[in-house]
Amino acid sequence: SNSSAASDVYKRQFPNFEIITVLAFLAVMLLDERIAIIVPVTGMIVSDILIGNPVYTGAEINKIVIFTYSGFAILVLINTFAKKKIEPYFTSISKCSVISILGIGVSFVLIYDVWTNIGWWYLFYPHTLQGLATVFALGLPFMVYHLASGIITFLFIGLPVMTTVRSESSVSDKISYKVPALITIVLIVFSFV
């Protein structure tokens, strides 16, 4: 049955350390919002190819991919609307910027995981409260690892990149930081996938 197949997939999950969530955040903050979605989607496509996650199974699309990819699109959309409110927190590394980046990282992970868990429930489990509870219970270990990686990546990648780019330097200095920041983002994607 579909629910036992989905349950087997959850049992085979390995600890999730990923950086696509922080890349979705940085893409909105550093690039034109209209193209920011390209960064996480490209990261997902490349990582899916490298780890052998089938985007297509036979002639059909792997339906959970719809939820995983759209989960990052949701994060980009949320961040696009919040960008102007978030930017002022990153002119320097301070207690406020650390708390802000951790709050953003945890929020993004929770939003993404709730969305993808709903996808698992919708696609593979009975549409009952018990089915939904089962999905969230089975997804809890994954969510814990995902939260840990979110905290680490937002704190050690997101915060330094944002404070470097948004520091109180001149306009020419800010522009000169964008190229290394973007190169760093690309290298991080390829090093972790």
Side-chain angles (χ1 to χ4, degrees):
S1 83
N2 280 345
S3 72
S4 66
S7 179
D8 290 342
V9 171
Y10 264 116
K11 289 176 187 173
R12 292 191 310 253
Q13 288 288 335
F14 50 87
N16 182 40
F17 186 86
E18 60 88 10
I19 61 163
I20 304 294
T21 308
V22 75
L23 292 177
F25 168 74
L26 290 172
V28 172
M29 300 304 288
L30 302 176
L31 302 173
D32 185 319
E33 293 92 355
R34 294 171 292 184
I35 63 165
I37 190 64
I38 293 170
V39 173
V41 170
T42 302
M44 287 294 294
I45 291 169
V46 170
S47 66
D48 280 346
I49 290 168
L50 290 176
I51 66 172
N53 186 23
V55 175
Y56 283 93
T57 53
E60 289 188 30
I61 191 166
N62 179 353
K63 290 182 178 105
I64 195 61
V65 169
I66 295 167
F67 285 89
T68 57
Y69 286 34
S70 67
F72 290 110
I74 290 168
L75 297 181
V76 166
L77 184 64
I78 290 168
N79 199 33
T80 298
F81 288 114
K83 180 179 179 177
K84 295 294 182 204
K85 293 179 184 174
I86 295 169
E87 283 178 320
Y89 293 105
F90 300 109
T91 56
S92 66
I93 295 180
S94 65
K95 182 179 177 180
C96 185
S97 64
V98 169
I99 291 169
S100 296
I101 201 77
L102 291 177
I104 293 165
V106 168
S107 298
F108 274 24
V109 167
L110 292 176
I111 290 166
Y112 178 82
D113 286 353
V114 166
W115 176 249
T116 55
N117 279 343
I118 289 170
W120 278 96
W121 172 70
Y122 178 75
L123 295 171
F124 302 112
Y125 285 82
H127 296 163
T128 62
L129 286 177
Q130 182 179 0
L132 185 62
T134 300
V135 168
F136 276 87
L138 290 172
L140 197 55
F142 175 84
M143 188 180 287
V144 168
Y145 285 118
H146 197 191
L147 278 169
S149 75
I151 289 168
I152 292 167
T153 58
F154 273 78
L155 190 59
F156 293 105
I157 298 170
L159 183 61
V161 169
M162 282 303 299
T163 54
T164 299
V165 172
R166 300 290 180 222
S167 67
E168 300 287 331
S169 57
S170 69
V171 174
S172 63
D173 288 341
K174 287 182 183 181
I175 292 170
S176 69
Y177 283 119
K178 284 190 178 187
V179 172
L182 294 176
I183 291 170
T184 301
I185 291 170
V186 171
L187 291 174
I188 290 169
V189 168
F190 288 112
S191 69
F192 278 95
V193 295

